Amino acid sequence: AQTVTQSQPEMSVQEAETVTLSCTYDTSENNYYLFWYKQPPSRQMILVIRQEAYKQQNATENRFSVNFQKAAKSFSLKISDSQLGDTAMYFCAFMKLKTSYDKVIFGPGTSLSVIP
Amino acid sequence: GAVVSQHPSRVICKSGTSVKIECRSLDFQATTMFWYRQFPKKSLMLMATSNEGSKATYEQGVEKDKFLINHASLTLSTLTVTSAHPEDSSFYICSAAPFFGSSETQYFGPGTRLLVL
């Protein structure tokens, strides 16, 4: 079975600074997807970034980038130039790569507070 | 595009009554929908996977007779909490995977807050 671990229950960062959220996972699969989701106080889940395991290049989306280390089964999220709107719960998630849609397994989450 | 709605957004009911929550994909067809439960400050816990035209697949520990799921069309799945009790109070979220599109894409609804008195 796959598991996702986020070892930082809470983090804070000063506005405009950079913060890195950690995520490790355990799987015997070779092909899979990894995601970071954001859940602001509205509780709407928002996809921040995704990474295909077969791609060596780390995914980036504007101020968000990941450090994907497949051998170490590590998938950290870096947020640059933090903004107040980045305050939210962040969930790391895993999904097996299949021809049909499979379920997503979420980590326990990291609560990020951006301090003005 | 790719909007998923849930109705109602919040509901308060008396213990022993049943509550139905709807999940709709507004601008795409969804072969698969997922139902999650989320407790305060906790992660999303998958309850069941719903495929159009077939029975839902429930996760271990989830009572299928308690949480009835119907995926009657490619745009609508419903979750009915039967004989609700205070311990069923929670935040319920659905997500939908498009019939056409990349296999990793799923879109989340805004959630439904259920309070059972």
Side-chain angles (χ1 to χ4, degrees):
Chain A
Q2 289 77 30
T3 59
V4 179
T5 303
Q6 294 176 250
S7 59
Q8 306 149 314
E10 295 182 358
M11 293 192 72
S12 62
V13 61
Q14 289 290 135
E15 193 175 5
E17 296 295 307
T18 296
V19 65
T20 298
L21 308 184
S22 301
C23 172
T24 58
Y25 59 95
D26 187 28
T27 184
S28 58
E29 301 287 329
N30 190 48
N31 295 316
Y32 47 87
Y33 293 101
L34 294 165
F35 309 87
W36 278 98
Y37 281 92
K38 169 185 177 181
Q39 188 180 40
S42 68
R43 304 193 76 170
Q44 171 72 58
M45 294 290 285
I46 301 167
L47 178 64
V48 175
I49 200 166
R50 65 171 171 249
Q51 174 81 41
E52 293 89 342
Y54 60 86
K55 291 186 177 179
Q56 292 186 341
Q57 186 173 7
N58 289 322
T60 62
E61 286 288 344
N62 301 312
R63 298 183 295 108
F64 300 89
S65 62
V66 297
N67 183 2
F68 173 48
Q69 301 290 328
K70 190 173 183 179
K73 296 180 181 174
S74 170
F75 184 61
S76 61
L77 174 70
K78 185 171 80 172
I79 306 175
S80 304
D81 185 26
S82 296
Q83 301 175 359
L84 297 178
D86 295 334
T87 292
M89 281 289 290
Y90 286 82
F91 295 101
C92 179
F94 170 99
M95 187 181 79
K96 289 189 291 186
L97 177 60
K98 291 174 60 175
T99 53
S100 60
Y101 202 83
D102 201 2
K103 61 185 179 183
V104 175
I105 298 168
F106 288 90
T110 296
S111 177
L112 177 67
S113 298
V114 179
I115 303 168
Chain B
V3 177
V4 176
S5 70
Q6 280 185 242
H7 178 79
S9 57
R10 57 181 65 191
V11 57
I12 301 173
C13 69
K14 293 182 178 180
S15 185
T17 61
S18 294
V19 175
K20 180 185 285 188
I21 302 170
E22 293 185 347
C23 176
R24 292 182 184 272
S25 54
L26 299 185
D27 49 5
F28 65 97
Q29 293 182 322
T31 49
T32 305
M33 290 185 173
F34 301 88
W35 287 95
Y36 297 87
R37 184 174 181 175
Q38 186 180 31
F39 290 105
K41 298 188 184 298
K42 297 295 184 182
S43 187
L44 280 70
M45 181 189 77
L46 180 66
M47 299 175 66
T49 301
S50 168
N51 290 295
E52 187 268 337
S54 63
K55 291 183 178 181
T57 301
Y58 290 81
E59 294 299 301
Q60 191 172 8
V62 178
E63 299 177 60
K64 59 180 67 177
D65 295 330
K66 174 75 170 175
F67 299 99
L68 299 179
I69 292 172
N70 188 331
H71 193 158
S73 76
L74 286 173
T75 59
L76 173 65
S77 177
T78 60
L79 168 68
T80 301
V81 183
T82 62
S83 185
H85 289 95
E87 57 266 30
D88 298 324
S89 298
S90 191
F91 192 67
Y92 293 88
I93 304 174
C94 73
S95 69
F99 182 66
F100 293 108
S102 54
S103 61
E104 77 278 13
T105 306
Q106 67 170 329
Y107 302 96
F108 285 86
T112 296
R113 188 180 303 277
L114 170 64
L115 177 61
V116 184
L117 302 177

